[in-house]
Amino acid sequence: MEILSRPMRTVRFCHPQLPECAPHYGLLHPAGAIERLDGAPWLGGQPTGAWFDGTQGQLLAPCLPGKIVCVGKNYRDHAAEMAQLRGDTGVPPEPLIFLKPPSALAAPGEPIIYPPQSQRVDYEGELALVIGRPCRRVPVAHALDYLFGYTAANDVTARDLQGKDKQWTRAKGFDSFCPLGPVIATELASDAHLSTTLNGKTVQASSLDQMVFPPAVLISYISAVMTLQPGDVILTGTPAGIGPMQPGDQVGVTIDGIGTLTNPVVRGL
Ligand code: ZN
């Protein structure tokens, strides 16, 4: 069943006019109004005809993934800077995957909490893929049929703990270390531009076509390891320019056609 017409931009939101401000999925219309859907759009959610003023609502992470699969060193320039920073071996021969827990999700505008265990917390601006249909072992040629859309993510990383632990669960898994949003766009140009800003200054800038393993390859590769479910998220890796954030900073990840995911950084206790 698919009567929603593409292209579209979907959100999750709460609004003072909704009972108990409960979260709902919605369609974001070009003028900024949100039409409520009766379910997740990748599960057949349909428009309800109920409209809300987007400026009075609050956007949430645009999906609730059962798992967040991330890809390491998927841009050549970033692989090179990691080789310099830590003596890594450069671009991996196959996609290098790891997981972030869903408890790491943060909404647009929600603070990234700087944990007391770390002295260096980095931003990583990334394109995120949102899966639309269950998939297992899909060939590359059909992989994009299983994609619902695209959003922006920040793969926040405690860089010192990443080096210390050798594997990345703690460094990448703190609460609030996966800001996601603000919208899911069902269409995206393959050469769309991604940029990250720290307090308004551009620190990362790349075209998405600079990825080593593009979205179709990643979906195919990951689906041969674990079944991907609707609403699951894949973070596709970060370009060069990673660097630390401090409490009080404001970080933004902008992707053409998706918008800007902005989060403040605050010190955790
Ligand atoms: Zn990353």
Side-chain angles (χ1 to χ4, degrees):
M1 183 175 60
E2 170 81 277
I3 68 165
L4 286 170
S5 61
R6 290 169 175 254
M8 59 181 153
R9 286 152 59 85
T10 72
V11 294
R12 259 178 82 244
F13 71 109
C14 57
H15 195 280
Q17 288 168 4
L18 281 161
E20 294 170 17
C21 202
H24 286 269
Y25 291 93
L27 286 178
L28 182 65
H29 288 264
I34 297 171
E35 183 177 11
R36 187 170 76 80
L37 297 170
D38 61 9
W42 42 89
L43 297 177
Q46 297 300 316
T48 59
W51 292 79
F52 297 87
D53 178 351
T55 61
Q56 289 175 21
Q58 187 192 343
L59 292 183
L60 306 170
C63 59
L64 290 173
K67 55 186 169 295
I68 303 165
V69 189
C70 307
V71 180
K73 294 188 281 191
N74 197 25
Y75 288 79
R76 273 173 223 292
D77 56 359
H78 171 60
E81 76 180 349
M82 289 305 281
Q84 229 172 14
L85 184 72
R86 293 202 322 212
D88 284 10
T89 49
V91 174
E94 296 179 292
L96 173 64
I97 63 173
F98 59 97
L99 294 166
K100 266 170 127 69
S103 48
L105 280 179
E110 189 174 343
I112 294 166
I113 299 173
Y114 202 113
Q117 298 96 317
S118 176
Q119 313 308 317
R120 178 171 167 165
V121 174
D122 285 11
Y123 54 80
E124 292 190 1
E126 307 199 3
L127 173 72
L129 312 175
V130 181
I131 297 298
R133 296 162 54 196
C135 62
R136 180 167 178 269
R137 293 192 181 164
V138 290
V140 173
H142 299 298
L144 294 183
D145 297 346
Y146 296 84
L147 177 70
F148 177 78
Y150 306 88
T151 189
N154 192 338
D155 176 18
V156 179
T157 303
R159 195 69 66 197
D160 51 351
L161 304 184
Q162 185 184 28
K164 197 168 153 190
D165 290 358
K166 308 299 181 213
Q167 51 78 34
W168 306 351
T169 304
R170 181 167 67 137
K172 304 262 191 184
F174 285 95
D175 289 356
S176 80
F177 272 27
C178 190
L180 199 68
V183 311
I184 300 171
T186 57
E187 313 293 329
L188 189 75
S190 60
D191 62 349
H193 193 75
L194 177 152
S195 63
T196 307
T197 60
L198 189 65
N199 303 321
K201 177 175 171 264
T202 300
V203 286
Q204 292 187 292
S206 181
S207 167
L208 297 175
D209 60 10
Q210 295 302 301
M211 277 182 208
V212 177
F213 303 106
V217 173
L218 296 177
I219 293 170
S220 174
Y221 182 86
I222 295 165
S223 79
V225 178
M226 57 188 91
T227 302
L228 292 168
Q229 299 288 358
D232 280 354
V233 166
I234 298 171
L235 268 52
T236 57
T238 199
I242 56 148
M245 303 180 289
Q246 304 300 333
D249 285 350
Q250 188 92 9
V251 62
V253 180
T254 302
I255 299 176
D256 296 338
I258 292 170
T260 301
L261 170 67
T262 305
N263 298 86
V265 182
V266 304
R267 183 169 301 284
L269 299 172

